[in-house]
Amino acid sequence: MILQTTSAEVRATLIDALQLDLVGPPPHDVDHAEEILTQPPSKWYLTGFLAPFGAKPEARSDDMGDDELEELGTGAAGEDSQTPEAGPARKALFPASMGLSVLVPPETRALRAIATWGDYVAVELEGAVAEPPDPDETTPDPQNQDSQPDKKQDKKPQGWRRIPQSAELSFDLSPNADSFEIDLPGGSGLRLVVNCRPLRDPRFQPGTRSVSVFLVNYRKQPPSEKDTCFAFQTCLHLTCAEGFVPRPDLRGMDSNDWDEAIASLQYRHDYEYAVGHNVSALTPDPSPTGDEGVTQVCTTWIPTANVPRVEPGNIPNVQLGMEALAAAESAEQIRQMLGPMVTEYRTWIAAQRETPISPPQAQRIADELLHQAGRACDRLTTGLAALDDPQVLEAFRLANRAVAIARRRQLSQERGQPPASFEPPSWRPFQLAFILVNLAGIAQPEHGDRGIVDLLFFPTGGGKTEAYLGLAAFTLVLRRLQHPGIQSAGLSVLMRYTLRLLTLDQLERAARLICALELERQKDPAKLGDWPFEIGLWVGSSATPNKMGKRGDRDEHSARERTLTFKRDSKSKPSPIPLERCPWCGETFSANSFQ
């Protein structure tokens, strides 16, 4: 039987495992509610517990908290070696309280609170065999008549059993309520500390109040076994029958920081219902109808958030196929294939201008964003018009063909099928738009777009690399067409990778495109020149050679010496380039791959 597991279920399982590992059993976990640990819980778990308020610092800190880490390895300092940061001046103290702050409407007269936690008591582990006593420690000293053998060695190993605890109560929030404390029932030693104060802000209804509820550990610490007075896996739920008052984050509306102003506009409908103190706050999603609002909030030691998936949309009557664009016979035909994308964009911008914006101070930001969107739409039109230049049209067609061929090769390596067996590759709308808005600026050196930097902002795996590789292919081909002969030589495109882990992947994909361009050049050297398309990588002499080398120089870092070393021992020596396989066919490099 094959069980179908969704990515959401896998993610939920990982979060539950992380909760058990770092915090301990949550309130709904029946299987681990009375678990037994082999170590004190304050050493077993990293967070989620409250130490006694007012306890001595040594009782509220980790005994191993300021131990220095052992230095691993010796020798010459590497490129990434750094001097370790100095340790903290004093040990960090475990928190003694945690809580929530909420806003309640004027008609609220009471809140309901539910506190859950776990207590641990020391027990002897059943079935465990005590270690034999050490003779050197248990044998009395004949010179000292008062010495006694250490009987602690005969005790069974100690464990810690969890006792789940919970308490529920309601407390009054009269209009005159200020600050007060409530002991949790059952003699737990835990207490709720409540602070209530009026909210004087014109954005909220008069009478709205801010309420802070803290769960505080007021237990007395025993002489030994400090963990017995800790409260573990603490969680606090608050319920307001009238619904909590949402609070928008409008701090960026009047800000001079452009990024903050945009964020305030785009997230103006996302509200905050609770703020955590020493802990994070979790708010369930409001009802779909919006009638009930949010009536419950709670604390969480491992905050999570669902991030909506971003997917490219489909635009009707737009031809996005790479091979279809490469086969277009004229610029007018391409405009017919891509023109609806510009039309739909203008229609969307016009609709946004007619949409009212609230609050009013956000209108200025929205108007500026729509103005920039209009400029981008104009640049799309300019890019399509630039195709009237025969060289620009030919470079655009060849770039589409090269990217399509490289894409088929990539799929062939990933799936083990012939390149021709796949569906014709297509652009995503934002990829093609990115290429079009930059066509005129690249084709015309004096164009005003040369002063604009366009940022591709899209989630991982969305196609950013393919978009800029398509623009790079256009640039490389156009340079060959506009400047025949030696004038087209030299560096045309510079790519800088800020993350080292991405470098080899990006290099392989870029090299595959260069292979596709080179095969196109070999078909028509009269058009694209006699000099091959080439690619290089410079990441320092430890990964790539900085010198070609010559016979007799014995420079182990030269390209020549690295190639000879690899040919002599290809199994244990790395290849001269930081790739293990051919980017075009996928075959692993062997001793005869380099000359």
Side-chain angles (χ1 to χ4, degrees):
M1 179 178 179
I2 300 178
L3 298 178
Q4 298 293 333
T5 303
T6 64
S7 59
E9 293 171 340
V10 173
R11 184 170 62 249
T13 302
L14 293 175
I15 294 175
D16 292 341
L18 191 64
Q19 163 80 24
L20 284 174
D21 185 51
L22 300 181
V23 180
H28 61 272
D29 191 340
V30 179
D31 297 335
H32 302 88
E34 298 182 359
E35 66 177 358
I36 297 179
L37 306 179
T38 57
Q39 292 182 1
S42 63
K43 297 184 180 297
W44 190 278
Y45 297 119
L46 295 182
T47 187
F49 51 86
L50 301 179
F53 180 78
K56 297 180 179 180
E58 56 268 19
R60 292 183 56 192
S61 60
D62 188 357
D63 296 337
M64 308 292 290
D66 59 351
D67 287 356
E68 295 183 0
L69 297 175
E70 275 188 44
E71 293 186 4
L72 301 178
T74 57
E79 186 177 359
D80 295 329
S81 61
Q82 298 178 354
T83 303
E85 296 182 2
R90 60 180 180 178
K91 295 180 179 180
L93 299 181
F94 298 139
S97 65
M98 62 90 168
L100 294 169
S101 287
V102 295
L103 301 181
V104 297
E107 61 271 18
T108 299
R109 293 295 180 266
L111 289 181
R112 184 165 63 94
I114 301 177
T116 60
W117 71 95
D119 290 333
Y120 286 81
V121 295
V123 295
E124 291 184 354
L125 296 178
E126 297 181 0
V129 180
E131 296 182 2
D134 189 342
D136 295 336
E137 296 183 3
T138 57
T139 304
D141 185 357
Q143 302 298 327
N144 184 2
Q145 299 298 326
D146 296 332
S147 65
Q148 298 292 333
D150 188 1
K151 296 182 179 181
K152 293 183 180 180
Q153 296 290 335
D154 296 329
K155 293 180 64 176
K156 291 184 178 180
Q158 178 178 276
W160 293 83
R161 181 187 297 275
R162 184 180 188 271
I163 303 176
Q165 304 281 11
S166 65
E168 181 177 351
L169 55 87
S170 296
F171 52 88
D172 178 58
L173 281 182
S174 62
N176 297 325
D178 188 8
S179 299
F180 53 91
E181 299 182 5
I182 308 173
D183 289 328
L184 293 186
S188 63
L190 303 183
R191 189 179 303 174
L192 289 185
V193 177
V194 182
N195 295 322
C196 185
R197 59 189 181 277
L199 184 64
R200 297 180 175 88
D201 191 317
R203 294 176 299 172
F204 298 95
Q205 182 182 0
T208 303
R209 287 170 291 172
S210 173
V211 180
S212 299
V213 184
F214 296 88
L215 178 65
V216 188
N217 183 355
Y218 278 107
R219 293 173 175 174
K220 301 296 183 183
Q221 182 181 350
S224 60
E225 307 295 3
K226 67 177 184 179
D227 286 39
T228 58
C229 64
F230 282 28
F232 294 86
Q233 295 95 38
T234 53
C235 183
L236 178 64
H237 286 75
L238 295 180
T239 302
C240 177
E242 296 78 14
F244 294 102
V245 177
R247 181 175 63 178
D249 183 9
L250 302 178
R251 59 185 174 182
M253 285 298 180
D254 300 322
S255 174
N256 293 325
D257 187 289
W258 181 241
D259 290 333
E260 285 189 1
I262 294 178
S264 293
L265 171 66
Q266 294 178 336
Y267 296 100
R268 63 190 182 280
H269 298 309
D270 292 336
Y271 300 101
E272 186 177 64
Y273 290 88
V275 176
H277 304 283
N278 280 339
V279 71
S280 293
L282 180 64
T283 304
D285 294 331
S287 64
T289 61
D291 297 334
E292 300 177 3
V294 172
T295 59
Q296 294 184 3
V297 295
C298 65
T299 61
T300 177
W301 295 97
I302 302 180
T304 60
N306 290 325
V307 180
R309 184 176 180 179
V310 179
E311 293 182 342
N314 293 322
I315 304 176
N317 304 319
V318 175
Q319 176 58 262
L320 301 176
M322 300 177 184
E323 294 170 348
L325 292 171
E329 297 180 355
S330 65
E332 184 60 31
Q333 183 178 356
I334 293 179
R335 281 192 286 269
Q336 293 177 359
M337 299 165 67
L338 303 180
M341 179 167 62
V342 182
T343 303
E344 289 292 328
Y345 192 19
R346 290 198 186 278
T347 303
W348 179 85
I349 294 174
Q352 297 301 310
R353 293 188 186 278
E354 299 299 326
T355 303
I357 299 294
S358 178
Q361 58 264 40
Q363 188 65 51
R364 175 181 61 86
I365 310 300
D367 290 342
E368 177 60 27
L369 290 177
L370 290 174
H371 173 69
Q372 293 184 10
R375 290 184 58 191
C377 194
D378 293 339
R379 292 176 64 197
L380 283 173
T381 304
T382 303
L384 289 173
L387 295 173
D388 288 332
D389 184 329
Q391 292 181 334
V392 174
L393 175 63
E394 183 65 12
F396 183 76
R397 294 171 61 246
L398 285 175
N400 274 274
R401 182 179 300 128
V403 174
I405 295 173
R407 178 61 177 163
R408 286 184 178 275
R409 280 284 170 175
Q410 180 181 354
L411 293 174
S412 176
Q413 295 181 29
E414 293 175 351
R415 303 179 186 179
Q417 301 176 17
S421 63
F422 300 101
E423 293 291 329
S426 298
W427 294 106
R428 293 179 175 179
F430 85 91
Q431 295 175 322
L432 201 51
F434 174 74
I435 296 175
L436 289 176
V437 297
N438 285 282
L439 278 188
I442 291 179
Q444 304 168 20
E446 303 300 326
H447 199 279
D449 286 356
R450 306 278 287 196
I452 299 177
V453 176
D454 291 290
L455 174 65
L456 275 176
F457 190 85
F458 212 78
T460 300
K464 296 185 295 295
T465 301
E466 204 164 55
Y468 78 71
L469 286 181
L471 189 60
F474 170 80
T475 305
L476 291 168
V477 173
L478 182 63
R479 182 168 179 171
R480 297 286 181 113
L481 298 176
Q482 291 182 337
H483 306 286
I486 193 62
Q487 293 183 359
S488 65
L491 183 65
S492 298
V493 177
L494 181 65
M495 296 185 290
R496 183 175 185 267
Y497 308 122
T498 56
L499 294 178
R500 293 188 177 184
L501 293 178
L502 291 177
T503 302
L504 296 185
D505 174 71
Q506 299 286 296
L507 172 64
E508 182 177 353
R509 297 173 68 176
R512 189 178 297 116
L513 176 65
I514 293 299
C515 291
L517 287 172
E518 172 59 15
L519 290 177
E520 291 297 313
R521 185 200 66 81
Q522 293 179 8
K523 294 178 183 178
D524 194 352
K527 178 189 296 184
L528 297 178
D530 297 327
W531 194 264
F533 284 101
E534 297 176 320
I535 186 172
L537 177 70
W538 185 81
V539 289
S541 60
S542 60
T544 57
N546 289 345
K547 292 182 287 186
M548 292 299 294
K550 59 184 179 179
R551 184 186 301 272
D553 61 6
R554 296 297 180 182
D555 185 352
E556 61 180 4
H557 295 297
S558 68
R560 180 180 186 276
E561 189 61 28
R562 286 192 179 191
T563 302
L564 294 176
T565 302
F566 182 71
K567 291 177 69 70
R568 288 191 293 265
D569 187 3
S570 60
K571 293 184 178 180
S572 61
K573 300 299 182 180
S575 66
I577 62 175
L579 291 177
E580 300 298 328
R581 61 177 185 175
C582 173
W584 186 251
C585 65
E587 182 179 349
T588 303
F589 290 140
S590 65
N592 298 321
S593 298
F594 301 95
Q595 296 181 8

